[in-house]
Amino acid sequence: MSHSAALPNHLAVIMDGNGRWAKQRQRPRTLGHRAGARAVRTIVEYCLKRGIPALTLFAFSSENWNRPEDEVGALMRLFLRVLESEVEELTRQQVHLRFIGDRSRFPEGIRARMGAAEAIRLPSPKLTLTLAAGYGGRADLAQAARRLAERVQAGTLRPDQIDEATLGEAMSLADLPPPDLFIRTGGEHRISNFLLWQLAYTELWFTDVLWPDLDDALLDTAIADFAGRERRFGLISEQLPTPALEAR
Ligand code: FPP
């Protein structure tokens, strides 16, 4: 699908601030997560409307397992409910849903639904929606190293063939262009062990807005900011292709 160069091809998001959103309302944190799930719908619809073909959301980090048991339990119930209620509609909208991260600790009911959703084949998806669940950027690098080591051991790869390309191919999301825009809501200015390898040249955009308060206007602001940035990838301005007038 062709679209303006000013639009990102791949948006990666840390959805932070659900707990504080609930606290502001003197409500339990789990209510914030439920509101957060509605904001997921908002950003998916936005990507479909604007023609952004890839969206990767940090839904649950490898560190989130250490949260209080009742919050982890509530999040698991929410993930299960969302999987039960949303997959059909996502499929109808030509959204291909998939997951990255270590899912071994997720309850079997969730893992089965993750697998079933991923197995749905769409001939030409409008949006590839990747949920990072049980994900950590360092663990992603470690599993890539392990996979290459196994290939060396099996005799199908020589150590001198290990370079950025072979390692990159063993990382999560290797089949997508790297994220060109990263958004984090909730006021913190951190990557928090999200896509460490894949964010090397990604434009970073932070906002104090709490995730459940996300709306189209905020996303428009982020995209407009992105469109105005010059991405040099280590080069100098004069080496870059002249931007088209309409992109100015
Ligand atoms: C961060 O807010 C959010 C999470 C740890 C969970 C993300 C989950 C959702 C957005 C809901 C459902 C998502 C899907 C994909 C179905 P926080 O709890 O760290 O907020 P705080 O920093 O204010 O405490």
Side-chain angles (χ1 to χ4, degrees):
M1 185 194 295
S2 74
H3 55 73
S4 158
L7 274 181
N9 279 307
H10 184 177
L11 186 56
V13 183
I14 294 187
M15 313 181 285
D16 197 13
N18 295 347
R20 279 164 287 161
W21 185 91
K23 195 165 179 205
Q24 282 177 353
R25 289 160 177 77
Q26 281 99 44
R27 302 301 300 274
R29 293 178 57 83
T30 51
L31 189 95
H33 294 314
R34 292 220 302 271
R38 289 194 292 278
V40 171
R41 183 33 79 191
T42 301
I43 196 167
V44 167
E45 300 281 350
Y46 184 89
C47 290
L48 288 168
K49 268 189 301 216
R50 297 293 303 266
I52 295 169
L55 173 65
T56 299
L57 302 175
F58 207 0
F60 194 81
S61 76
S62 40
E63 290 73 32
N64 286 154
W65 288 114
N66 301 321
R67 288 196 176 189
E69 210 178 299
D70 59 338
E71 181 168 348
V72 173
L75 274 168
M76 292 304 135
R77 286 190 293 281
L78 178 63
F79 291 150
L80 185 62
R81 269 219 314 277
V82 167
L83 284 168
E84 284 168 348
S85 64
E86 294 291 324
V87 171
E88 202 180 302
E89 175 66 2
L90 289 172
T91 305
R92 198 188 61 73
Q93 291 177 305
Q94 301 293 304
V95 177
H96 183 217
L97 181 60
R98 23 178 256 180
F99 301 85
I100 55 172
D102 174 13
R103 56 184 91 171
S104 65
R105 289 175 71 183
F106 283 86
E108 175 50 31
I110 294 185
R111 280 188 293 161
R113 281 186 169 78
M114 287 173 165
E118 278 179 330
I120 298 170
R121 292 276 162 254
L122 295 170
S124 51
K126 288 202 173 77
L127 174 66
T128 299
L129 171 60
T130 307
L131 296 185
Y135 180 85
R138 289 177 175 176
D140 195 2
L141 276 156
Q143 67 76 29
R146 202 178 312 120
R147 271 162 72 178
L148 296 188
E150 282 163 4
R151 286 179 54 198
V152 169
Q153 194 175 38
T156 60
L157 184 74
R158 293 191 318 273
D160 63 271
Q161 289 174 311
I162 297 178
D163 56 13
E164 292 183 23
T166 46
L167 189 61
E169 281 161 22
M171 297 292 301
S172 296
L173 303 180
D175 56 331
L176 293 177
D180 29 25
L181 176 61
F182 161 95
I183 293 176
R184 181 175 186 146
T185 61
E188 313 287 358
H189 295 185
R190 287 193 285 272
I191 303 290
S192 297
N193 200 22
F194 195 26
L195 307 160
L196 299 180
W197 171 274
Q198 299 86 342
L199 293 178
Y201 281 106
T202 304
E203 295 296 329
L204 308 179
W205 193 82
F206 299 93
T207 174
D208 289 341
V209 171
L210 303 176
W211 176 253
D213 289 326
L214 178 96
D215 60 13
D216 283 12
L218 186 75
L219 290 167
D220 282 342
T221 306
I223 303 285
D225 188 335
F226 170 79
R229 295 191 193 182
E230 181 184 70
R231 307 188 70 208
R232 292 194 295 276
F233 301 96
L235 304 178
I236 67 167
S237 288
E238 289 71 23
Q239 292 174 292
L240 301 174
T242 317
L245 270 178
E246 72 269 19
R248 281 278 165 100

